[in-house]
PDB file of all heavy atoms in Angstrom:
ATOM      1  N   LEU A1875      43.409  12.999  38.809  1.00  0.00           N
ATOM      2  CA  LEU A1875      42.413  12.919  39.892  1.00  0.00           C
ATOM      3  C   LEU A1875      42.322  11.449  40.378  1.00  0.00           C
ATOM      4  O   LEU A1875      41.944  10.558  39.672  1.00  0.00           O
ATOM      5  CB  LEU A1875      41.088  13.420  39.423  1.00  0.00           C
ATOM      6  CG  LEU A1875      39.999  13.667  40.455  1.00  0.00           C
ATOM      7  CD1 LEU A1875      40.466  14.704  41.420  1.00  0.00           C
ATOM      8  CD2 LEU A1875      38.720  14.031  39.837  1.00  0.00           C
ATOM      9  N   ARG A1876      42.624  11.299  41.661  1.00  0.00           N
ATOM     10  CA  ARG A1876      42.609   9.940  42.225  1.00  0.00           C
ATOM     11  C   ARG A1876      41.831   9.888  43.524  1.00  0.00           C
ATOM     12  O   ARG A1876      41.330  10.894  43.999  1.00  0.00           O
ATOM     13  CB  ARG A1876      44.091   9.418  42.482  1.00  0.00           C
ATOM     14  CG  ARG A1876      44.856   9.311  41.271  1.00  0.00           C
ATOM     15  CD  ARG A1876      44.331   8.287  40.326  1.00  0.00           C
ATOM     16  NE  ARG A1876      45.185   8.135  39.139  1.00  0.00           N
ATOM     17  CZ  ARG A1876      46.287   7.370  39.113  1.00  0.00           C
ATOM     18  NH1 ARG A1876      46.669   6.649  40.104  1.00  0.00           N
ATOM     19  NH2 ARG A1876      46.990   7.350  37.994  1.00  0.00           N
ATOM     20  N   GLY A1877      41.742   8.703  44.117  1.00  0.00           N
ATOM     21  CA  GLY A1877      41.123   8.581  45.423  1.00  0.00           C
ATOM     22  C   GLY A1877      39.742   8.116  45.376  1.00  0.00           C
ATOM     23  O   GLY A1877      39.234   7.485  46.288  1.00  0.00           O
ATOM     24  N   TRP A1878      39.087   8.383  44.284  1.00  0.00           N
ATOM     25  CA  TRP A1878      37.708   7.900  44.089  1.00  0.00           C
ATOM     26  C   TRP A1878      37.716   6.410  43.647  1.00  0.00           C
ATOM     27  O   TRP A1878      38.719   5.940  43.140  1.00  0.00           O
ATOM     28  CB  TRP A1878      36.978   8.766  43.073  1.00  0.00           C
ATOM     29  CG  TRP A1878      37.747   8.785  41.786  1.00  0.00           C
ATOM     30  CD1 TRP A1878      38.747   9.644  41.417  1.00  0.00           C
ATOM     31  CD2 TRP A1878      37.506   7.931  40.657  1.00  0.00           C
ATOM     32  NE1 TRP A1878      39.183   9.309  40.167  1.00  0.00           N
ATOM     33  CE2 TRP A1878      38.473   8.264  39.643  1.00  0.00           C
ATOM     34  CE3 TRP A1878      36.643   6.864  40.394  1.00  0.00           C
ATOM     35  CZ2 TRP A1878      38.570   7.628  38.445  1.00  0.00           C
ATOM     36  CZ3 TRP A1878      36.740   6.200  39.178  1.00  0.00           C
ATOM     37  CH2 TRP A1878      37.660   6.590  38.235  1.00  0.00           C
ATOM     38  N   GLN A1879      36.613   5.737  43.825  1.00  0.00           N
ATOM     39  CA  GLN A1879      36.499   4.349  43.346  1.00  0.00           C
ATOM     40  C   GLN A1879      35.150   4.128  42.657  1.00  0.00           C
ATOM     41  O   GLN A1879      34.164   4.807  43.034  1.00  0.00           O
ATOM     42  CB  GLN A1879      36.639   3.402  44.544  1.00  0.00           C
ATOM     43  CG  GLN A1879      38.036   3.328  45.086  1.00  0.00           C
ATOM     44  CD  GLN A1879      38.066   2.358  46.278  1.00  0.00           C
ATOM     45  OE1 GLN A1879      37.533   1.305  46.246  1.00  0.00           O
ATOM     46  NE2 GLN A1879      38.721   2.782  47.300  1.00  0.00           N
ATOM     47  N   ASN A1880      35.162   3.305  41.713  1.00  0.00           N
ATOM     48  CA  ASN A1880      33.880   2.899  41.058  1.00  0.00           C
ATOM     49  C   ASN A1880      32.930   2.244  42.061  1.00  0.00           C
ATOM     50  O   ASN A1880      33.366   1.482  42.939  1.00  0.00           O
ATOM     51  CB  ASN A1880      34.127   1.901  39.938  1.00  0.00           C
ATOM     52  CG  ASN A1880      34.714   2.566  38.677  1.00  0.00           C
ATOM     53  OD1 ASN A1880      34.297   3.720  38.403  1.00  0.00           O
ATOM     54  ND2 ASN A1880      35.577   1.911  38.050  1.00  0.00           N
ATOM     55  N   ASN A1881      31.642   2.581  42.002  1.00  0.00           N
ATOM     56  CA  ASN A1881      30.693   1.931  42.795  1.00  0.00           C
ATOM     57  C   ASN A1881      29.341   1.929  42.131  1.00  0.00           C
ATOM     58  O   ASN A1881      29.080   2.817  41.335  1.00  0.00           O
ATOM     59  CB  ASN A1881      30.581   2.525  44.238  1.00  0.00           C
ATOM     60  CG  ASN A1881      30.177   3.979  44.199  1.00  0.00           C
ATOM     61  OD1 ASN A1881      29.077   4.327  43.875  1.00  0.00           O
ATOM     62  ND2 ASN A1881      31.131   4.834  44.601  1.00  0.00           N
ATOM     63  N   VAL A1882      28.470   0.954  42.429  1.00  0.00           N
ATOM     64  CA  VAL A1882      27.239   0.781  41.672  1.00  0.00           C
ATOM     65  C   VAL A1882      26.311   1.978  41.920  1.00  0.00           C
ATOM     66  O   VAL A1882      25.373   2.237  41.156  1.00  0.00           O
ATOM     67  CB  VAL A1882      26.451  -0.475  42.044  1.00  0.00           C
ATOM     68  CG1 VAL A1882      27.121  -1.695  41.399  1.00  0.00           C
ATOM     69  CG2 VAL A1882      26.266  -0.598  43.498  1.00  0.00           C
ATOM     70  N   MET A1883      26.542   2.678  43.041  1.00  0.00           N
ATOM     71  CA  MET A1883      25.664   3.822  43.291  1.00  0.00           C
ATOM     72  C   MET A1883      26.068   5.040  42.421  1.00  0.00           C
ATOM     73  O   MET A1883      25.253   5.980  42.304  1.00  0.00           O
ATOM     74  CB  MET A1883      25.812   4.269  44.796  1.00  0.00           C
ATOM     75  CG  MET A1883      25.812   3.172  45.763  1.00  0.00           C
ATOM     76  SD  MET A1883      24.120   2.595  46.053  1.00  0.00           S
ATOM     77  CE  MET A1883      23.394   4.015  46.756  1.00  0.00           C
ATOM     78  N   ASP A1884      27.254   5.051  41.993  1.00  0.00           N
ATOM     79  CA  ASP A1884      27.816   6.232  41.268  1.00  0.00           C
ATOM     80  C   ASP A1884      27.863   7.429  42.245  1.00  0.00           C
ATOM     81  O   ASP A1884      27.562   8.570  41.834  1.00  0.00           O
ATOM     82  CB  ASP A1884      27.101   6.535  39.977  1.00  0.00           C
ATOM     83  CG  ASP A1884      27.901   7.499  39.124  1.00  0.00           C
ATOM     84  OD1 ASP A1884      29.112   7.417  39.085  1.00  0.00           O
ATOM     85  OD2 ASP A1884      27.317   8.376  38.434  1.00  0.00           O
ATOM     86  N   HIS A1885      28.173   7.173  43.473  1.00  0.00           N
ATOM     87  CA  HIS A1885      28.320   8.262  44.409  1.00  0.00           C
ATOM     88  C   HIS A1885      29.820   8.506  44.613  1.00  0.00           C
ATOM     89  O   HIS A1885      30.563   7.568  44.869  1.00  0.00           O
ATOM     90  CB  HIS A1885      27.705   7.839  45.805  1.00  0.00           C
ATOM     91  CG  HIS A1885      26.285   7.821  45.801  1.00  0.00           C
ATOM     92  ND1 HIS A1885      25.490   7.342  46.811  1.00  0.00           N
ATOM     93  CD2 HIS A1885      25.326   8.103  44.749  1.00  0.00           C
ATOM     94  CE1 HIS A1885      24.186   7.424  46.512  1.00  0.00           C
ATOM     95  NE2 HIS A1885      24.118   7.834  45.251  1.00  0.00           N
ATOM     96  N   HIS A1886      30.244   9.767  44.394  1.00  0.00           N
ATOM     97  CA  HIS A1886      31.663  10.049  44.555  1.00  0.00           C
ATOM     98  C   HIS A1886      31.875  11.333  45.262  1.00  0.00           C
ATOM     99  O   HIS A1886      31.774  12.408  44.741  1.00  0.00           O
ATOM    100  CB  HIS A1886      32.254  10.150  43.133  1.00  0.00           C
ATOM    101  CG  HIS A1886      32.088   9.019  42.252  1.00  0.00           C
ATOM    102  ND1 HIS A1886      32.915   7.843  42.420  1.00  0.00           N
ATOM    103  CD2 HIS A1886      31.187   8.624  41.352  1.00  0.00           C
ATOM    104  CE1 HIS A1886      32.561   6.897  41.576  1.00  0.00           C
ATOM    105  NE2 HIS A1886      31.460   7.351  40.929  1.00  0.00           N
ATOM    106  N   GLN A1887      32.105  11.235  46.581  1.00  0.00           N
ATOM    107  CA  GLN A1887      32.348  12.430  47.382  1.00  0.00           C
ATOM    108  C   GLN A1887      33.751  12.968  47.107  1.00  0.00           C
ATOM    109  O   GLN A1887      34.720  12.240  46.994  1.00  0.00           O
ATOM    110  CB  GLN A1887      32.213  12.102  48.827  1.00  0.00           C
ATOM    111  CG  GLN A1887      30.823  11.630  49.278  1.00  0.00           C
ATOM    112  CD  GLN A1887      30.775  11.192  50.692  1.00  0.00           C
ATOM    113  OE1 GLN A1887      31.224  11.896  51.584  1.00  0.00           O
ATOM    114  NE2 GLN A1887      30.277   9.962  50.938  1.00  0.00           N
ATOM    115  N   THR A1888      33.790  14.267  46.967  1.00  0.00           N
ATOM    116  CA  THR A1888      35.025  14.911  46.661  1.00  0.00           C
ATOM    117  C   THR A1888      36.031  14.727  47.782  1.00  0.00           C
ATOM    118  O   THR A1888      37.246  14.668  47.575  1.00  0.00           O
ATOM    119  CB  THR A1888      34.851  16.414  46.452  1.00  0.00           C
ATOM    120  OG1 THR A1888      33.820  16.552  45.436  1.00  0.00           O
ATOM    121  CG2 THR A1888      36.155  17.014  45.858  1.00  0.00           C
ATOM    122  N   ARG A1889      35.602  14.487  49.029  1.00  0.00           N
ATOM    123  CA  ARG A1889      36.521  14.397  50.182  1.00  0.00           C
ATOM    124  C   ARG A1889      37.430  13.141  50.039  1.00  0.00           C
ATOM    125  O   ARG A1889      38.437  13.102  50.711  1.00  0.00           O
ATOM    126  CB  ARG A1889      35.787  14.399  51.437  1.00  0.00           C
ATOM    127  CG  ARG A1889      34.960  13.101  51.823  1.00  0.00           C
ATOM    128  CD  ARG A1889      34.314  13.369  53.175  1.00  0.00           C
ATOM    129  NE  ARG A1889      33.430  12.261  53.527  1.00  0.00           N
ATOM    130  CZ  ARG A1889      33.714  11.294  54.422  1.00  0.00           C
ATOM    131  NH1 ARG A1889      34.864  11.350  55.059  1.00  0.00           N
ATOM    132  NH2 ARG A1889      32.836  10.399  54.718  1.00  0.00           N
ATOM    133  N   HIS A1890      36.979  12.160  49.210  1.00  0.00           N
ATOM    134  CA  HIS A1890      37.902  10.995  49.052  1.00  0.00           C
ATOM    135  C   HIS A1890      38.929  11.245  47.962  1.00  0.00           C
ATOM    136  O   HIS A1890      39.849  10.492  47.809  1.00  0.00           O
ATOM    137  CB  HIS A1890      37.050   9.804  48.599  1.00  0.00           C
ATOM    138  CG  HIS A1890      36.061   9.370  49.630  1.00  0.00           C
ATOM    139  ND1 HIS A1890      36.333   9.115  50.956  1.00  0.00           N
ATOM    140  CD2 HIS A1890      34.662   9.198  49.506  1.00  0.00           C
ATOM    141  CE1 HIS A1890      35.211   8.814  51.568  1.00  0.00           C
ATOM    142  NE2 HIS A1890      34.205   8.837  50.724  1.00  0.00           N
ATOM    143  N   MET A1891      38.800  12.376  47.296  1.00  0.00           N
ATOM    144  CA  MET A1891      39.657  12.522  46.086  1.00  0.00           C
ATOM    145  C   MET A1891      40.901  13.348  46.435  1.00  0.00           C
ATOM    146  O   MET A1891      40.923  14.036  47.463  1.00  0.00           O
ATOM    147  CB  MET A1891      38.882  13.320  45.009  1.00  0.00           C
ATOM    148  CG  MET A1891      37.618  12.594  44.518  1.00  0.00           C
ATOM    149  SD  MET A1891      36.815  13.554  43.198  1.00  0.00           S
ATOM    150  CE  MET A1891      35.361  12.631  42.947  1.00  0.00           C
ATOM    151  N   PHE A1892      41.841  13.256  45.520  1.00  0.00           N
ATOM    152  CA  PHE A1892      43.017  14.163  45.611  1.00  0.00           C
ATOM    153  C   PHE A1892      43.626  14.270  44.207  1.00  0.00           C
ATOM    154  O   PHE A1892      43.313  13.437  43.351  1.00  0.00           O
ATOM    155  CB  PHE A1892      44.062  13.648  46.597  1.00  0.00           C
ATOM    156  CG  PHE A1892      44.519  12.233  46.398  1.00  0.00           C
ATOM    157  CD1 PHE A1892      45.510  11.933  45.528  1.00  0.00           C
ATOM    158  CD2 PHE A1892      43.870  11.175  47.043  1.00  0.00           C
ATOM    159  CE1 PHE A1892      45.925  10.581  45.304  1.00  0.00           C
ATOM    160  CE2 PHE A1892      44.260   9.857  46.888  1.00  0.00           C
ATOM    161  CZ  PHE A1892      45.260   9.570  45.967  1.00  0.00           C
ATOM    162  N   LYS A1893      44.466  15.269  43.994  1.00  0.00           N
ATOM    163  CA  LYS A1893      44.993  15.534  42.732  1.00  0.00           C
ATOM    164  C   LYS A1893      46.478  15.278  42.709  1.00  0.00           C
ATOM    165  O   LYS A1893      47.207  15.843  43.499  1.00  0.00           O
ATOM    166  CB  LYS A1893      44.691  16.948  42.307  1.00  0.00           C
ATOM    167  CG  LYS A1893      43.949  17.049  41.017  1.00  0.00           C
ATOM    168  CD  LYS A1893      43.511  18.451  40.682  1.00  0.00           C
ATOM    169  CE  LYS A1893      43.214  18.521  39.202  1.00  0.00           C
ATOM    170  NZ  LYS A1893      42.804  19.846  38.870  1.00  0.00           N
ATOM    171  N   LEU A1894      46.934  14.551  41.761  1.00  0.00           N
ATOM    172  CA  LEU A1894      48.391  14.279  41.633  1.00  0.00           C
ATOM    173  C   LEU A1894      49.121  15.429  40.976  1.00  0.00           C
ATOM    174  O   LEU A1894      48.502  16.145  40.152  1.00  0.00           O
ATOM    175  CB  LEU A1894      48.647  13.009  40.851  1.00  0.00           C
ATOM    176  CG  LEU A1894      48.211  11.667  41.456  1.00  0.00           C
ATOM    177  CD1 LEU A1894      48.527  10.485  40.536  1.00  0.00           C
ATOM    178  CD2 LEU A1894      48.887  11.459  42.758  1.00  0.00           C
ATOM    179  N   ARG A1895      50.344  15.570  41.341  1.00  0.00           N
ATOM    180  CA  ARG A1895      51.163  16.568  40.728  1.00  0.00           C
ATOM    181  C   ARG A1895      51.488  16.109  39.267  1.00  0.00           C
ATOM    182  O   ARG A1895      51.559  14.886  39.003  1.00  0.00           O
ATOM    183  CB  ARG A1895      52.512  16.678  41.504  1.00  0.00           C
ATOM    184  CG  ARG A1895      53.408  17.740  41.159  1.00  0.00           C
ATOM    185  CD  ARG A1895      54.379  18.009  42.314  1.00  0.00           C
ATOM    186  NE  ARG A1895      55.011  16.738  42.752  1.00  0.00           N
ATOM    187  CZ  ARG A1895      56.110  16.229  42.113  1.00  0.00           C
ATOM    188  NH1 ARG A1895      56.516  16.785  41.033  1.00  0.00           N
ATOM    189  NH2 ARG A1895      56.628  15.079  42.559  1.00  0.00           N
ATOM    190  N   LEU A1896      51.742  16.977  38.377  1.00  0.00           N
ATOM    191  CA  LEU A1896      52.148  16.642  37.069  1.00  0.00           C
ATOM    192  C   LEU A1896      53.635  16.432  36.948  1.00  0.00           C
ATOM    193  O   LEU A1896      54.378  17.075  37.673  1.00  0.00           O
ATOM    194  CB  LEU A1896      51.708  17.710  36.088  1.00  0.00           C
ATOM    195  CG  LEU A1896      50.215  17.912  35.831  1.00  0.00           C
ATOM    196  CD1 LEU A1896      49.940  19.040  34.854  1.00  0.00           C
ATOM    197  CD2 LEU A1896      49.622  16.618  35.268  1.00  0.00           C
ATOM    198  N   ARG A1897      54.034  15.567  36.097  1.00  0.00           N
ATOM    199  CA  ARG A1897      55.518  15.410  35.853  1.00  0.00           C
ATOM    200  C   ARG A1897      56.005  16.729  35.287  1.00  0.00           C
ATOM    201  O   ARG A1897      55.411  17.320  34.382  1.00  0.00           O
ATOM    202  CB  ARG A1897      55.739  14.349  34.826  1.00  0.00           C
ATOM    203  CG  ARG A1897      55.358  12.966  35.318  1.00  0.00           C
ATOM    204  CD  ARG A1897      55.859  11.924  34.386  1.00  0.00           C
ATOM    205  NE  ARG A1897      55.315  10.625  34.850  1.00  0.00           N
ATOM    206  CZ  ARG A1897      55.897   9.491  34.553  1.00  0.00           C
ATOM    207  NH1 ARG A1897      56.949   9.455  33.865  1.00  0.00           N
ATOM    208  NH2 ARG A1897      55.321   8.383  34.974  1.00  0.00           N
ATOM    209  N   GLY A1898      57.171  17.126  35.815  1.00  0.00           N
ATOM    210  CA  GLY A1898      57.815  18.375  35.301  1.00  0.00           C
ATOM    211  C   GLY A1898      56.995  19.609  35.671  1.00  0.00           C
ATOM    212  O   GLY A1898      57.211  20.625  35.127  1.00  0.00           O
ATOM    213  N   ASP A1899      56.065  19.419  36.605  1.00  0.00           N
ATOM    214  CA  ASP A1899      55.280  20.585  37.057  1.00  0.00           C
ATOM    215  C   ASP A1899      56.274  21.562  37.788  1.00  0.00           C
ATOM    216  O   ASP A1899      56.862  21.170  38.771  1.00  0.00           O
ATOM    217  CB  ASP A1899      54.226  20.103  38.061  1.00  0.00           C
ATOM    218  CG  ASP A1899      53.224  21.180  38.353  1.00  0.00           C
ATOM    219  OD1 ASP A1899      53.587  22.361  38.143  1.00  0.00           O
ATOM    220  OD2 ASP A1899      52.124  20.832  38.845  1.00  0.00           O
ATOM    221  N   PRO A1900      56.348  22.729  37.339  1.00  0.00           N
ATOM    222  CA  PRO A1900      57.294  23.685  37.912  1.00  0.00           C
ATOM    223  C   PRO A1900      56.999  23.889  39.393  1.00  0.00           C
ATOM    224  O   PRO A1900      57.911  24.229  40.175  1.00  0.00           O
ATOM    225  CB  PRO A1900      57.109  24.994  37.128  1.00  0.00           C
ATOM    226  CG  PRO A1900      55.925  24.784  36.242  1.00  0.00           C
ATOM    227  CD  PRO A1900      55.636  23.324  36.193  1.00  0.00           C
ATOM    228  N   ALA A1901      55.816  23.682  39.827  1.00  0.00           N
ATOM    229  CA  ALA A1901      55.441  23.883  41.233  1.00  0.00           C
ATOM    230  C   ALA A1901      56.248  22.930  42.154  1.00  0.00           C
ATOM    231  O   ALA A1901      56.514  23.296  43.284  1.00  0.00           O
ATOM    232  CB  ALA A1901      53.966  23.615  41.427  1.00  0.00           C
ATOM    233  N   ALA A1902      56.691  21.848  41.586  1.00  0.00           N
ATOM    234  CA  ALA A1902      57.446  20.873  42.403  1.00  0.00           C
ATOM    235  C   ALA A1902      58.875  21.376  42.646  1.00  0.00           C
ATOM    236  O   ALA A1902      59.509  21.013  43.601  1.00  0.00           O
ATOM    237  CB  ALA A1902      57.457  19.528  41.748  1.00  0.00           C
TER     238      ALA A1902
END
Side-chain angles (χ1 to χ4, degrees):
Chain A
L1875 192 63
R1876 297 295 181 87
W1878 56 275
Q1879 288 178 45
N1880 283 323
N1881 59 69
V1882 288
M1883 315 284 293
D1884 196 35
H1885 290 177
H1886 302 280
Q1887 297 175 49
T1888 310
R1889 71 181 174 106
H1890 300 305
M1891 301 179 183
F1892 53 87
K1893 236 173 162 180
L1894 292 180
R1895 189 161 52 79
L1896 291 178
R1897 294 190 187 204
D1899 191 341

